[in-house]
C-alpha cells in the first residue's frame, strides 16, 4: 500500500493519472483517525476530476462548511500526494441518497459540455455569497455601500478598489457584485492567481490572442487578491494592458487586495496609480456588534436549512464573539464547531462547555517574536529591515522603528532592555519613549490606530 502511494506521488503524467478514490479514502482514514473519518470524510465522494482540481460531493451545506473550515488543507495535502497537479477542491452539495444518480448525470452532461480546464471553469460565482447575507457593520459600511452603488451606476467609481485583511469579507463582496450584475452584463470574476495561471498557460500554448480577447471582452471585470501580482513583472505588464483596454471601452473594474494600492510592494508605479485612480475603500476588523450580528445570522441560516433549533444563549454568543479576534472567517469556523458539538451531544451549551470545546482554538496562541515583528513592520512600511534598525532618525524610518518596539513590548514577553538590544543595541529608555509615543499616537491618530491594527492582524495571521 505504502509503496503504491509513493509510486503515484511521483507519477504526474496528466492524462493517465486518475485518482482511485478508495485509495484516497484509505489514506484519509489513516491520517485523520477512525472517528473523524467515519463521521465526516467517509461521506465525501468524488464527482469529477480535472487536471488541477476535484469536485467532491458532500451531503449538506453545513457539512461542507465544517469540512472546509477544519480539514480542507489536510485533504488537499492528501489528494496531492496522489496527484501532484491538484491544487484546489470544490464541493458540490448532493443529498446522500441522490449521490450516485447525480454523479451519473454530471458525467453524462460533462461529456457533452465539458470545456475541460478552460477559463470558464473558474469564472464561477458562488450563489451563497450575496448582498442579502452580507451583514453590515461599522467596519464594512463604506465598502458595502459602494459595492452596491457600483452595481447601480457602473463606471462612476472606476476602478472600485476594496482593501482589507484576510477573512474580512472582500471575496464575499466581490462575488456579491458579480451575482448582482451577471444577468445583464458579461461578468468576469477571477483571482489574480488564476489570471496568472491562464496567462502562463496561454504563453506556453502560444495562444495570447485568445487570452487577450477573453479577458478584454468582459463588461464587468472583477479581480480578487491583486496583491498576488507583486514582483511578477510580465504579469503586471499584461494586467496593465488588460486594465487599460477595459477602461477604454468603459467596462467597470472591481479589485480587491489585502492592502491599499500605495502599499503594494514590487508593483510598477504606473499600475499603482491606475489602481488608485477610481475609488479606494477599506474593510476593517469587525467590532463586537458586527461579530454578534454575524453569529446570529449564521445561526438563523443553519436553523432554516436544517429545520431544527439551535440554542446558544446570549452569553455564549458573546463569548464566541469576544474571544474570536482574528477575522470573520475564523469566527464562522469557531461557531460551526460549537454548533456541531451541541448537535452531536444534543445539549444546551454554557460558557464552560464552550471554553472546553474551543480550548485548542483560542489557546493556540501564536508565537510572536521580536524578529517576526521587525520583519512584518518593515514589510508593511516598505522599508528595508536594516534601515529600520539603523541609527538614522528620519521620520519614515523612526516611526516604523518605534511601532516595532511598541509591538515588541505589547506582544512578546521580552523585557525593555532585551527589546532595546534587539534593535541594534539601543538603550531601554529609547524603548520606553517609543512605547509612550506610539501609545499616545494610536489614541489620537486614526491612521496610526489603523496601521497598528493591520500590523497586529498580519502578525496573528502568520
Ligand atoms: P476575504 O476575501 O477578505 O479574505 P471572505 O470574503 O472570504 O474574506 O470572508 C470570509 C468569510 O466570512 C466568508 O465565509 C464570508 O462569507 C464571511 N463574511 C465576511 N464578512 C461578512 C459579513 N459582513 N457578513 C456575513 N459574512 C461575512
Ligand atoms: Mg478572499
Amino acid at each position: 500500500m505504502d509503496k503504491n502511494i509513493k509510486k503515484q506521488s511521483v507519477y504526474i503524467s496528466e492524462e493517465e493519472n486518475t485518482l482511485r478514490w478508495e485509495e484516497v479514502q484509505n489514506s484519509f482514514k489513516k491520517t485523520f483517525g477512525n472517528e473523524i473519518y467515519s463521521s465526516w470524510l467517509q461521506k465525501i465522494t468524488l464527482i469529477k476530476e480535472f487536471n488541477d482540481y476535484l469536485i467532491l460531493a458532500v451531503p449538506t451545506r453545513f457539512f461542507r462548511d465544517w469540512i472546509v473550515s477544519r480539514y480542507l488543507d489536510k485533504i488537499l495535502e492528501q489528494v496531492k500526494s496522489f496527484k501532484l497537479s491538484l491544487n484546489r477542491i470544490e464541493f458540490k452539495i448532493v443529498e446522500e441518497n441522490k449521490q450516485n444518480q447525480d454523479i451519473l448525470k454530471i458525467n453524462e452532461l460533462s461529456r457533452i459540455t465539458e470545456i475541460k480546464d478552460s477559463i470558464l471553469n473558474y469564472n464561477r460565482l458562488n450563489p451563497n455569497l450575496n448582498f442579502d447575507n452580507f451583514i453590515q457593520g461599522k467596519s464594512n459600511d463604506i465598502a458595502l455601500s459602494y459595492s452596491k452603488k457600483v452595481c447601480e451606476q457602473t463606471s462612476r467609481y472606476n476602478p472600485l478598489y476594496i482593501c482589507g485583511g484576510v477573512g474580512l469579507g472582500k471575496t464575499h463582496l466581490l462575488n456579491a457584485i458579480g451575482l448582482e450584475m451577471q444577468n445583464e452584463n458579461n461578468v468576469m470574476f477571477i483571482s489574480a492567481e488564476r489570471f496568472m495561471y491562464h496567462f502562463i498557460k496561454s504563453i506556453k500554448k502560444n495562444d495570447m490572442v485568445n487570452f487577450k480577447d477573453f479577458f478584454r471582452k468582459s463588461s464587468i471585470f472583477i479581480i480578487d487578491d491583486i496583491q498576488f501580482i507583486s514582483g511578477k513583472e510580465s504579469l503586471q505588464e499584461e494586467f496593465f494592458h488588460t486594465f487599460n483596454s477595459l477602461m477604454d471601452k468603459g467596462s467597470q473594474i472591481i479589485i480587491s487586495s489585502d492592502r491599499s494600492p500605495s502599499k503594494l510592494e514590487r508593483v510598477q508605479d504606473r499600475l499603482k496609480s491606475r489602481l488608485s485612480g477610481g475609488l479606494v475603500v477599506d474593510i476593517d476588523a469587525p467590532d463586537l456588534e458586527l461579530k454578534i450580528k454575524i453569529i446570529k445570522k449564521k445561526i438563523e441560516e443553519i436553523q432554516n436549512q436544517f429545520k431544527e433549533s439551535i440554542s446558544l444563549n446570549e452569553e455564549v454568543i458573546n463569548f464566541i464573539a469576544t474571544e474570536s479576534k482574528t477575522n470573520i472567517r475564523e469566527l464562522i469556523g469557531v461557531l460551526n464547531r460549537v454548533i456541531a458539538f451541541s448537535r452531536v451531544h444534543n445539549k444546551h451549551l454554557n460558557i464552560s462547555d464552550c471554553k472546553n470545546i474551543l480550548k485548542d482554538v483560542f489557546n493556540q496562541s501564536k508565537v510572536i517574536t521580536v524578529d517576526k515583528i521587525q520583519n512584518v513592520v518593515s514589510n508593511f512600511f516598505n522599508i528595508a529591515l536594516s534601515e529600520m534598525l539603523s541609527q538614522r532618525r528620519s521620520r519614515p524610518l523612526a516611526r516604523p522603528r518605534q511601532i516595532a518596539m511598541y509591538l515588541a513590548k505589547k506582544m512578546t514577553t521580552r523585557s525593555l532592555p532585551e527589546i532595546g538590544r534587539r534593535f541594534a543595541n539601543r538603550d531601554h529608555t529609547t524603548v520606553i519613549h517609543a512605547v509612550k509615543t506610539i501609545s499616545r499616537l494610536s489614541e489620537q491618530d486614526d491612521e496610526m490606530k489603523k496601521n497598528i491594527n493591520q500590523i497586529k492582524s498580519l502578525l496573528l495571521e502568520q
Side-chain angles (χ1 to χ4, degrees):
M1 174 71 216
D2 274 340
K3 228 173 156 188
N4 266 344
I5 296 181
K6 267 207 190 108
K7 237 198 215 152
Q8 287 198 339
S9 66
V10 289
Y11 181 52
I12 48 170
S13 150
E14 290 185 3
E15 290 77 25
E16 292 165 53
N17 185 19
T18 50
L19 280 181
R20 263 169 291 182
W21 192 243
E22 313 85 75
E23 284 183 11
V24 179
Q25 284 277 10
N26 275 333
S27 82
F28 285 164
K29 202 190 283 177
K30 278 195 197 145
T31 323
F32 292 93
N34 262 339
E35 199 182 327
I36 295 179
Y37 175 74
S38 55
S39 33
W40 301 102
L41 301 162
Q42 194 175 22
K43 302 199 172 83
I44 306 178
T45 52
L46 175 66
I47 297 187
K48 182 120 186 75
E49 175 181 351
F50 291 88
N51 183 35
D52 62 342
Y53 76 104
L54 298 177
I55 305 183
L56 302 180
V58 289
T60 61
R61 244 169 76 184
F62 173 77
F63 193 103
R64 180 200 59 199
D65 293 346
W66 179 259
I67 299 267
V68 168
S69 66
R70 304 218 46 203
Y71 307 123
L72 186 59
D73 291 348
K74 265 200 177 152
I75 293 178
L76 190 59
E77 207 176 278
Q78 287 295 306
V79 294
K80 264 174 111 69
S81 74
F82 286 89
K83 182 171 167 185
L84 204 58
S85 58
L86 291 172
N87 57 26
R88 197 160 60 97
I89 293 178
E90 280 188 12
F91 290 99
K92 185 172 160 41
I93 292 141
V94 182
E95 279 173 42
E96 239 157 330
N97 49 6
K98 286 207 210 128
Q99 274 188 15
N100 289 334
Q101 286 171 7
D102 250 59
I103 293 169
L104 269 182
K105 256 200 303 209
I106 289 173
N107 275 337
E108 273 165 28
L109 196 78
S110 52
R111 233 174 268 142
I112 311 161
T113 58
E114 185 179 294
I115 313 166
K116 198 176 177 195
D117 219 11
S118 86
I119 292 167
L120 290 178
N121 277 327
Y122 304 108
N123 191 25
R124 286 208 205 100
L125 291 162
N126 180 344
N128 300 318
L129 303 176
N130 51 44
F131 281 130
D132 287 341
N133 62 13
F134 189 88
I135 318 278
Q136 179 174 14
K138 285 197 196 89
S139 53
N140 60 29
D141 196 20
I142 295 178
L144 175 61
S145 78
Y146 282 99
S147 298
K148 287 184 171 166
K149 274 191 192 152
V150 153
C151 299
E152 288 158 16
Q153 214 176 9
T154 49
S155 306
R156 171 136 182 222
Y157 309 101
N158 211 6
L160 176 66
Y161 185 106
I162 302 177
C163 53
V166 174
L168 297 183
K170 301 182 297 294
T171 302
H172 190 140
L173 273 183
L174 258 51
N175 195 94
I177 296 175
L179 287 176
E180 193 75 18
M181 313 277 273
Q182 69 177 351
N183 287 340
E184 286 167 23
N185 299 277
N186 181 359
V187 173
M188 166 57 62
F189 174 54
I190 193 165
S191 69
E193 192 179 351
R194 278 272 144 215
F195 185 78
M196 179 174 91
Y197 170 82
H198 291 296
F199 173 57
I200 292 175
K201 225 167 104 178
S202 307
I203 295 179
K204 280 194 188 147
K205 287 200 329 209
N206 218 347
D207 194 17
M208 278 309 287
V209 178
N210 257 332
F211 177 88
K212 284 182 202 291
D213 264 15
F214 190 85
F215 286 104
R216 293 175 192 188
K217 72 172 190 261
S218 53
S219 59
I220 311 290
F221 184 75
I222 307 176
I223 185 155
D224 202 4
D225 289 324
I226 196 74
Q227 73 277 1
F228 182 81
I229 61 175
S230 154
K232 305 183 175 71
E233 275 296 323
S234 54
L235 181 67
Q236 290 179 24
E237 191 70 27
E238 183 56 37
F239 181 71
F240 183 73
H241 294 301
T242 307
F243 185 97
N244 289 343
S245 93
L246 286 166
M247 288 294 271
D248 281 349
K249 71 181 198 91
S251 301
Q252 172 72 45
I253 302 177
I254 302 121
I255 299 161
S256 84
S257 172
D258 67 351
R259 63 196 74 190
S260 66
S262 59
K263 294 225 172 75
L264 289 171
E265 287 158 27
R266 294 184 295 147
V267 169
Q268 302 166 0
D269 284 341
R270 57 175 193 170
L271 188 51
K272 284 197 218 175
S273 96
R274 285 288 197 288
L275 293 174
S276 50
L279 180 70
V280 178
V281 290
D282 54 15
I283 308 186
D284 272 333
D287 57 11
L288 190 64
E289 195 185 335
L290 176 59
K291 287 193 276 188
I292 291 177
K293 271 205 237 166
I294 290 178
I295 295 179
K296 290 187 171 163
K297 171 84 177 177
K298 287 280 155 199
I299 293 179
E300 197 186 299
E301 276 175 18
I302 297 174
Q303 279 177 336
N304 288 340
Q305 192 192 347
F306 292 97
K307 311 269 178 293
E308 70 179 72
S309 84
I310 290 172
S311 49
L312 294 186
N313 62 36
E314 291 287 327
E315 208 188 0
V316 166
I317 292 177
N318 248 308
F319 172 76
I320 298 174
T322 320
E323 291 298 311
S324 170
K325 298 199 171 65
T326 329
N327 62 51
I328 297 174
R329 185 174 301 138
E330 181 206 77
L331 179 74
I332 296 173
V334 164
L335 175 67
N336 279 341
R337 190 162 171 166
V338 171
I339 293 176
F341 188 90
S342 86
R343 214 191 242 143
V344 172
H345 296 273
N346 203 4
K347 74 183 269 201
H348 295 262
L349 299 180
N350 57 33
I351 289 227
S352 75
D353 295 325
C354 277
K355 279 192 182 151
N356 248 332
I357 304 166
L358 301 174
K359 232 181 6 234
D360 49 328
V361 181
F362 294 145
N363 289 348
Q364 216 179 39
S365 51
K366 311 246 158 74
V367 185
I368 293 183
T369 60
V370 177
D371 275 350
K372 195 160 160 182
I373 293 175
Q374 291 176 338
N375 278 318
V376 169
V377 171
S378 59
N379 259 333
F380 184 84
F381 289 104
N382 236 335
I383 54 179
L385 180 58
S386 56
E387 283 199 295
M388 190 175 86
L389 299 182
S390 72
Q391 301 301 326
R392 290 173 51 201
R393 292 177 176 210
S394 69
R395 173 72 64 89
L397 298 177
R399 272 286 182 269
R401 184 183 300 138
Q402 287 179 320
I403 290 177
M405 288 182 187
Y406 164 86
L407 290 172
K409 181 64 201 141
K410 298 277 167 189
M411 299 178 83
T412 73
T413 51
R414 301 270 165 225
S415 67
L416 293 166
E418 272 176 309
I419 295 173
R421 278 198 292 279
R422 306 293 290 275
F423 282 80
N425 260 330
R426 286 179 162 78
D427 192 70
H428 75 279
T429 52
T430 312
V431 184
I432 296 179
H433 177 69
V435 174
K436 279 194 184 147
T437 309
I438 303 300
S439 301
R440 177 171 47 80
L441 285 177
S442 64
E443 275 166 26
Q444 298 166 349
D445 181 49
D446 281 347
E447 179 73 20
M448 177 64 84
K449 194 195 274 167
K450 214 161 90 188
N451 285 344
I452 300 267
N453 280 337
Q454 278 181 2
I455 297 171
K456 272 190 188 160
S457 59
L458 285 172
L459 281 163
L460 292 169
E461 267 160 30
Q462 292 182 350

